Amino acid sequence: AVDDQGLGVGLDRRLEPAHVPQGRALVVEDERAGLQRRRVVGGAAAGHAHRQRLLAQAQRAGRDVGEFIISFGYATEDYLYDLFAKYFNVERANLSALAIDESVLRLVSEEFARQRKVIPFAREENGTIDVAMEDPTNLETIQFISQRLQAQIRPYLATPEDLNRGFVLFGKQSTQDFEKVIKESIRATLARKL
């Protein structure tokens, strides 16, 4: 069978993870009984041709293939990020479930964090800094942060939402700093008048 996007859709629904919409094709690797075989989540026989069609459709639309897969319901964002994390052998940051240590966050400037798309969010007992990163494979950024902070870095895969949570904390601190400057200025002005 072929779906409305021209992608093959099979009937083997028992192999689908619950978080992948039914009837949508996505090639993944599957290990059963020690045998590695390709399968299509929601389908029976796709492969390279389907990946190429997805890539071509995303390019024609001028979109990132991951965004394209998510927007057309072939997989959820969480599912893709889990796959990426597993592929890159890193953990997901999931900053919505973790508290960001603001003293660790402040180890880098907001400008640097936004430019490199990184959020330092915790310090481990051994001194290692946990850093949520858009690209946890960017060795240049990891080495730069490690040298700058004089600490080992443990990269985590971050979603755009994870990064935004950290950026909001930078904004919150800037607002508090601005309010403090205004209050001090008012106090100084009043003290001079009295």
Side-chain angles (χ1 to χ4, degrees):
V2 176
D3 72 1
D4 58 339
Q5 302 301 316
L7 298 169
V9 178
L11 302 174
D12 192 2
R13 301 214 191 284
R14 64 190 162 78
L15 296 177
E16 283 188 342
H19 47 280
V20 176
Q22 289 194 2
R24 296 299 190 176
L26 178 67
V27 176
V28 295
E29 297 295 319
D30 186 34
E31 276 191 49
R32 300 253 169 128
L35 299 173
Q36 201 173 59
R37 63 187 176 138
R38 286 188 339 169
R39 70 177 172 90
V40 178
V41 175
H48 182 73
H50 286 289
R51 285 194 304 272
Q52 293 304 314
R53 267 186 254 156
L54 274 174
L55 183 58
Q57 288 176 342
Q59 288 173 340
R60 276 194 303 274
R63 298 180 69 190
D64 174 77
V65 72
E67 291 173 6
F68 185 82
I69 288 170
I70 292 166
S71 68
F72 281 94
Y74 295 111
T76 64
E77 182 179 58
D78 280 339
Y79 181 72
L80 283 181
Y81 275 96
D82 287 343
L83 283 176
F84 295 150
K86 185 176 179 179
Y87 179 80
F88 293 124
N89 196 30
V90 296
E91 293 181 47
R92 290 214 23 219
N94 196 11
L95 296 182
S96 63
L98 298 173
I100 297 174
D101 181 338
E102 290 190 44
S103 67
V104 174
L105 177 69
R106 302 273 170 234
L107 294 174
V108 300
S109 69
E110 179 178 6
E111 180 182 349
F112 176 82
R114 286 183 183 277
Q115 181 183 39
R116 300 282 181 124
K117 297 189 182 344
V118 298
I119 298 293
F121 64 92
R123 184 186 306 266
E124 297 177 17
E125 288 182 18
N126 66 2
T128 298
I129 306 291
D130 296 337
V131 180
M133 303 177 68
E134 178 184 66
D135 180 2
T137 65
N138 186 331
L139 296 178
E140 180 185 330
T141 297
I142 292 169
Q143 289 172 346
F144 183 84
I145 296 170
S146 178
Q147 289 173 351
R148 184 167 182 196
L149 303 182
Q150 297 295 303
Q152 291 292 318
I153 301 301
R154 183 174 178 198
Y156 285 74
L157 178 63
T159 64
E161 290 78 22
D162 290 327
L163 295 173
N164 285 334
R165 288 181 203 292
F167 298 151
V168 163
L169 289 177
F170 277 115
K172 175 182 163 189
Q173 184 63 41
S174 295
T175 300
Q176 290 172 346
D177 291 346
F178 185 69
E179 287 176 359
K180 182 179 176 184
V181 168
I182 290 174
K183 286 178 183 178
E184 288 173 3
S185 177
I186 290 171
R187 277 191 214 120
T189 301
L190 290 174
R192 277 184 271 168
K193 288 185 176 184
L194 295 176

